[in-house]
Amino acid sequence: KQAVYRRAARPLEERAAGTDVETDAAEKQLLRLLAEGRVESGTVTADDFITESRRELAKKLLAGMTPGAILEEIEDEQQRDQAAALLEKDSGADQEKELRMTGDCLRILHRKRIEQKIAQLREQLPQMTGEDKRSTLLKIQELTKARQTAGRKE
């Protein structure tokens, strides 16, 4: 018999958020690195985050708030528990790995942002005609090329 492997189920709140596993992991890792103070100033901005709730956490961390102060500020118990689970977990990064981990996370999020833009343009495509449709197809083609190089290390 061959072994059968199953993926672990993601928590319901993560599935409801509609983020994919790769984006989810990248955002969490970046937040952990920020919480530990392992990201150089100017390397990461809150706009790098796709998920709104994590973008807000990043803004607070980048403004200099400590994870403890952020948790005290959150009134909703469920949100506080989620933030605590995220911010209090160790990133697993040592000095040699932290820059590479940050770069990897940013590349993933950049690629996901491009994929979202492509999907948005494809949804608009059926309503377009003529020159608008042609320019949108060209834009999709450019974004597709950018997506292919976005995931590569420099």
Side-chain angles (χ1 to χ4, degrees), residues 8-49:
R10 291 174 54 207
L12 187 58
E13 65 273 2
E14 290 178 12
R15 284 184 275 161
T19 58
D20 63 287
V21 176
E22 197 174 31
T23 301
D24 188 57
E27 286 186 337
K28 285 180 177 180
Q29 188 63 28
L30 264 182
L31 282 172
R32 288 182 192 120
L33 289 165
L34 283 171
E36 294 172 3
R38 294 184 173 268
V39 179
E40 288 184 33
S41 179
T43 306
V44 177
T45 66
D47 293 332
D48 291 326
F49 291 82

Side-chain angles (χ1 to χ4, degrees), residues 1 16 55 66 93 103-104 106 117 129 134 138 147 151 154:
K1 279 186 164 179
R55 187 178 303 128
T66 63
D104 289 345
L106 289 172
K117 182 67 177 169
T129 58
R134 183 180 177 285
L138 288 173
R147 179 184 62 196
E154 297 168 358

